[in-house]
Amino acid sequence: RHPAGAAGIARQFAAGIRPGYLVERDMVAVRITPDWQEGVVGTPAYFERQGEPKSPQDLGAHNCIRVRLPTGALMPWRFAKDGTIFDLPVNGSLILNEIGAIETALLRGVGVAQLHRAFTEVAVASGRLKRVLDEWQAPGAPFCLYYSSQRRTPAALQALIEFLRPSQKKRASR
């Protein structure tokens, strides 16, 4: 079991936000974003020094900047090949939990990171970062608001859920 749902509920939070694939099955999930497409990025200078990975398994020779979730768990690096999605354990000298710190480390050439493309598209377009392993990226997953199906839903949370559901329908019809 992944602690994304249980840990927040145990600390008496009414709800949390996670990628859909990290929400436990006993939680109710409400999609709040379009699919979240990730990519592996590093600076061109980093790849000149270390070489470009040709497959996810090549990441074992790279310094992978990892993301720690508020639950204490590490965000998995997710890939896909021939329709099969898999999480790959990676290693690195940095574990961070703030996008600005990750971007700073990336731009200083410390290593590579797997991040949402929205966070990196400007730096990739300008040539400051380079995306690799695109053909291995898992299909995108949405972020979801999640809450316990076993508890009474507070009125404020219920109002938020009702507000999000109509916008969810509009996104789906586009």
Side-chain angles (χ1 to χ4, degrees), residues 82-161:
D82 299 325
T84 302
I85 298 172
F86 61 96
D87 290 345
L88 182 76
V90 295
N91 293 306
S93 63
L94 278 180
I95 298 173
L96 301 168
N97 65 357
E98 197 274 320
I99 191 67
I102 296 167
E103 183 180 33
T104 298
L106 279 169
L107 292 172
R108 290 186 178 168
V110 171
V112 297
Q114 187 179 53
L115 295 173
H116 184 279
R117 289 179 183 224
F119 293 139
T120 61
E121 66 186 352
V122 171
V124 168
S126 71
R128 293 181 298 145
L129 290 177
K130 181 176 184 176
R131 201 170 19 250
V132 296
L133 301 175
D134 276 352
E135 67 277 12
W136 288 87
Q137 288 307 293
F143 263 69
C144 295
L145 173 81
Y146 69 92
Y147 58 97
S148 174
S149 61
Q150 307 301 313
R151 280 192 168 161
R152 186 178 158 281
T153 306
L157 176 58
Q158 189 61 46
L160 176 61
I161 292 164

Side-chain angles (χ1 to χ4, degrees), residues 68-80:
R68 183 166 311 278
L69 298 169
T71 63
L74 294 173
M75 179 73 86
W77 285 40
R78 184 158 279 201
F79 296 96

